[in-house]
Amino acid sequence: MPDFQLVFRQGGYLSYCQEKTLDNKAVLGYDRQGDLRMEEILMQTLLFDFYGDLLTDKQRQVYQQVVLDDYSLSETAEQLSISRQGVHDMIRRCRKILDEYERTLHLVERFMKIREQVHQIQKLAREHEIGEIEAIAGRILDEL
């Protein structure tokens, strides 16, 4: 099983691009009940990291509480004095907005490609015992 598959939502359906290695620490499982899978949570987190500042303050607050901080819709609705349905609709709208930014700009996809290439550089450097290249690749990965 691959370490990571980059997941994109298009028209309500999930489509997978080629397999991507995130890092050795990522353990991704599948939920038989169809709940949000780890890949989707990771993708939503990356999308928020890259494009979250483009959301309104209210959208950003709701999205962060529900998706990233794992608050329930009811908890968020009560805390922000809006309806549970309003929270649900805002989450759906935010996901659509973030997905659209990614389809247009491809920043997350590029980030993942660069990260994978740097991992390949590190691996080749280790195999050929070229310490300086491995150190540079490590510093680049730390910055990503």
Side-chain angles (χ1 to χ4, degrees):
M1 182 165 101
D3 290 320
F4 179 70
Q5 287 184 329
L6 192 57
V7 180
F8 293 96
R9 268 189 209 285
Q10 296 178 348
Y13 298 98
L14 293 178
S15 61
Y16 295 88
C17 73
Q18 68 187 72
E19 295 175 358
K20 304 286 183 184
T21 302
L22 182 61
D23 60 31
N24 293 334
K25 297 176 190 169
V27 178
L28 304 173
Y30 297 92
D31 189 345
R32 295 179 189 264
Q33 286 77 33
D35 291 340
L36 218 53
R37 294 187 310 230
M38 192 64 177
E39 300 94 0
E40 292 176 75
I41 294 169
L42 179 59
M43 186 61 192
Q44 293 303 319
T45 302
L46 286 170
L47 289 173
F48 186 78
D49 287 346
F50 277 85
Y51 307 114
D53 288 339
L54 300 173
L55 299 172
T56 67
D57 289 337
K58 187 82 155 190
Q59 287 173 329
R60 197 171 31 255
Q61 185 178 18
V62 168
Y63 190 86
Q64 186 166 3
Q65 284 187 357
V66 174
V67 177
L68 304 179
D69 298 338
D70 202 26
Y71 284 38
S72 71
L73 297 178
S74 299
E75 290 171 323
T76 302
E78 183 179 322
Q79 186 176 18
L80 299 176
S81 301
I82 57 179
S83 71
R84 185 181 178 285
Q85 184 63 44
V87 172
H88 181 267
D89 291 344
M90 191 175 295
I91 294 298
R92 290 183 63 194
R93 198 172 321 118
C94 288
R95 284 186 177 157
K96 185 176 179 180
I97 290 167
L98 295 174
D99 289 341
E100 187 58 38
Y101 283 134
E102 178 58 21
R103 274 194 293 281
T104 303
L105 300 172
H106 305 286
L107 296 178
V108 174
E109 182 180 359
R110 288 180 190 147
F111 169 80
M112 296 304 292
K113 284 180 184 178
I114 290 168
R115 189 174 174 106
E116 177 61 28
Q117 290 169 347
V118 173
H119 276 295
Q120 290 173 352
I121 290 170
Q122 254 186 338
K123 180 181 175 192
L124 290 171
R126 269 193 303 270
E127 290 172 0
H128 298 288
E129 297 182 16
I130 304 172
E132 184 62 26
I133 294 173
E134 185 176 2
I136 292 169
R139 288 194 298 271
I140 293 170
L141 281 174
D142 290 341
E143 289 180 27
L144 292 177

